[in-house]
Amino acid sequence: MTAGMHMETRADLLVYNIGQLCTMQGPDRPRRGAEMDDVGLLRHAAMAVAGGKIVAVGPEKDVQALADQDTRTVDAGGRVVTPGLWDPHTHLCYAGSREEEFAWRLAGRGYLEILASGGGILSTVRATRAASDEMLVSLLHKRFSQALASGTTGIEVKSGYGLSTVDELRMLRVIRRAAGEHPIRVVATFLGAHAVPPEFQGRANDYVQLVIDEMIPAVAGAHLAEFCDVFCEEGVFDLDQSRQILTHARAAGLGLKVHADEIAAMGGAELAAELGATSADHLIMVSPEGMAALARAGVVAVLLPGTSLTLGSRFAPARELIAAGVPVALATDGNPGTSPTESLQAVVPLAARTLGLSPEQVLTAATVNAAWAAGRGEVGGVLAAGRPADFVVWDAADYRYLSYHYGSNLAREVYIRGRLVAREGVMLIG
Ligand SMILES: [Zn+2]
């Protein structure tokens, strides 16, 4: 008999003939070190669901006992089932597109050079400010559908293309509206400190003061975001400015995230650890001291190899982070400049190739650790009795296929709360 199974519970959904069920069961916290090698694999398994929640996972024979003639059944056909992917770092609320800038980059121009000449983030700020709420909701809704159809059942979305109190609040309301009209699970993050807006050119400290005095109280007061993030980087917000913003955000009740040590080792990881951030993201240039600090504080390292690939830059030291005891998660960084994608599934084979992670580490990083990085570790990323039935039936017979194969959508069926929401790349509800 499987732990957590109650014989009186009748399943309303039974998924059977699962060749490999990656439950990701383990300690109830972000996984680190050798824990990242364990995907909680069950073979020839089944999963029973009632009222949108899992009531049992285990050997097919045991779980099947919970079904009766009214139970809806899904034959997984010997395929792989995993928890729905969680994407804990995206900037998908934006208007416009930057393929022209990408062509400049291919021709050799640097990221900070493009930013300094009014391109980069600021071109998306102009387009986003100019777009109507309806347009932004509709664009974000479409991107949610693309994410969901590729196996992402939960997603974090940041503001940060408004850069004024009015436009930052507007972006967060757009995120809330799009989330309310879509089955995907959404976590909103306030990123007013994404760039210094043109109106504050040369007056970064004044902008930091605006973020602290006006934006953070407004965001926290209206409960428009769960997290506050800062782009702590050379030429953007320095360590002291980042500390000020994050300290005020924490006092206002927001969780913390940091864009840390992406282009230069500035101590962003150490700052994230010092302030008890939920995650430190990018970390391409993180120092050994920064890694040790993250490990001690239990901060999740969110790695974004799609961004390195687009920028032609170095990749984060994923193996070193894991060896140092830091829990590692993966995200798309979905944004129009440096990672134009909605698919965390696409990042999985990329991470195996560019970060040197094993298929087990990659899957842990894209499910359970990613859910923790998004502040949803207690509900997402694990298939176990009592958890929401958010899962994906993959067009694969071995979970390692997800790290191996690339370029086509392998998410055959996507479920949220036991409800089929996408099949073979097409959204069914929303
Ligand atoms: Zn980012």
Side-chain angles (χ1 to χ4, degrees):
M1 187 86 325
T2 304
M5 189 185 290
H6 306 289
M7 285 313 294
E8 68 275 16
T9 311
R10 192 191 65 82
D12 51 43
L13 171 69
L14 176 78
V15 188
Y16 69 102
N17 196 15
I18 301 171
Q20 293 189 348
L21 178 59
C22 299
T23 65
M24 313 312 295
Q25 289 180 18
D28 211 10
R29 53 170 169 71
R31 311 291 162 75
R32 48 173 71 197
E35 292 164 1
M36 289 189 68
D37 300 330
D38 184 4
V39 297
L41 182 64
L42 299 174
R43 294 171 198 275
H44 312 295
M47 180 164 63
V49 176
K53 285 196 169 173
I54 297 167
V55 290
V57 295
E60 198 168 79
K61 187 160 48 66
D62 297 348
V63 176
Q64 255 169 347
L66 299 176
D68 63 22
Q69 71 276 9
D70 297 325
T71 300
R72 191 160 52 93
T73 58
V74 172
D75 180 354
R79 294 182 181 85
V80 172
V81 170
T82 73
L85 307 182
W86 260 91
D87 189 347
H89 182 139
T90 86
H91 307 254
L92 288 176
C93 184
Y94 65 87
S97 180
R98 283 157 52 190
E99 59 272 19
E100 185 185 29
E101 177 188 315
F102 182 60
W104 293 343
R105 217 176 259 150
L106 291 173
R109 291 177 63 179
Y111 177 80
L112 293 179
E113 185 195 340
I114 289 170
L115 185 65
S117 61
I121 289 171
L122 297 182
S123 71
T124 299
V125 171
R126 284 191 297 275
T128 305
R129 284 178 175 176
S132 68
D133 288 11
E134 285 63 35
M135 173 61 79
L136 288 172
V137 168
S138 139
L139 287 168
L140 184 54
H141 191 280
K142 185 178 164 200
R143 291 173 193 140
F144 282 164
S145 297
Q146 283 161 334
L148 189 70
S150 62
T152 299
T153 56
I155 194 164
E156 184 255 19
V157 187
K158 303 175 197 296
S159 68
Y161 296 122
L163 307 186
S164 68
T165 305
V166 165
D167 282 305
E168 283 295 307
L169 292 174
R170 195 166 77 89
M171 282 192 74
L172 291 169
R173 289 199 182 94
V174 161
I175 293 167
R176 171 173 288 180
R177 229 178 96 188
E181 296 169 4
H182 203 281
I184 199 167
R185 296 178 192 268
V186 177
V187 170
T189 295
F190 165 61
L191 180 57
H194 194 192
V196 177
E199 309 84 77
F200 283 82
Q201 212 58 55
R203 296 190 295 130
N205 278 327
D206 292 346
Y207 183 65
V208 168
Q209 217 50 56
L210 181 75
V211 170
I212 291 170
D213 293 342
E214 252 185 55
M215 295 190 196
I216 290 173
V219 168
H223 301 288
L224 284 171
E226 286 177 49
F227 289 99
C228 177
D229 194 347
V230 173
F231 196 176
C232 177
E233 194 57 68
E234 244 174 31
V236 194
F237 296 98
D238 66 23
L239 210 54
D240 186 50
Q241 292 165 335
S242 300
R243 183 184 282 107
Q244 287 181 46
I245 291 168
L246 293 169
T247 304
H248 280 87
R250 187 173 63 177
L254 295 170
L256 306 183
K257 291 175 161 287
V258 188
H259 280 66
D261 302 328
E262 179 185 0
I263 302 164
M266 329 202 333
E270 289 88 332
L271 179 66
E274 172 196 324
L275 297 178
T278 299
S279 73
D281 303 33
H282 284 293
L283 299 172
I284 291 167
M285 305 302 289
V286 62
S287 67
E289 296 74 31
M291 291 193 208
L294 293 175
R296 273 196 306 275
V299 178
V300 181
V302 177
L303 307 186
L304 311 158
T307 307
S308 294
L309 195 72
T310 305
L311 292 174
S313 65
R314 281 170 57 170
F315 290 89
R319 285 182 176 179
E320 288 86 340
L321 283 160
I322 292 173
V326 181
V328 166
L330 284 170
T332 58
D333 197 16
N335 79 80
T338 60
S339 190
T341 184
E342 294 78 29
S343 174
L344 187 57
Q345 182 195 155
V347 174
V348 162
L350 220 160
R353 284 160 177 75
T354 63
L355 300 179
L357 299 182
S358 69
E360 294 76 18
Q361 290 169 330
V362 168
L363 194 57
T364 303
T367 55
V368 56
N369 281 5
W372 281 106
R376 287 293 185 279
E378 266 135 45
V379 290
V382 172
L383 298 176
R387 297 282 187 137
D390 296 0
F391 61 96
V392 181
V393 181
W394 299 97
D395 214 349
D398 186 312
Y399 69 85
R400 293 174 300 185
Y401 194 79
L402 303 176
S403 282
Y404 157 73
H405 189 277
Y406 69 95
S408 37
N409 186 5
L410 301 173
R412 182 181 169 87
E413 291 185 348
V414 184
Y415 292 80
I416 293 184
R417 297 182 182 88
R419 202 163 62 129
L420 180 63
V421 288
R423 182 195 282 134
E424 293 178 347
V426 179
M427 272 280 301
L428 302 173
I429 310 169

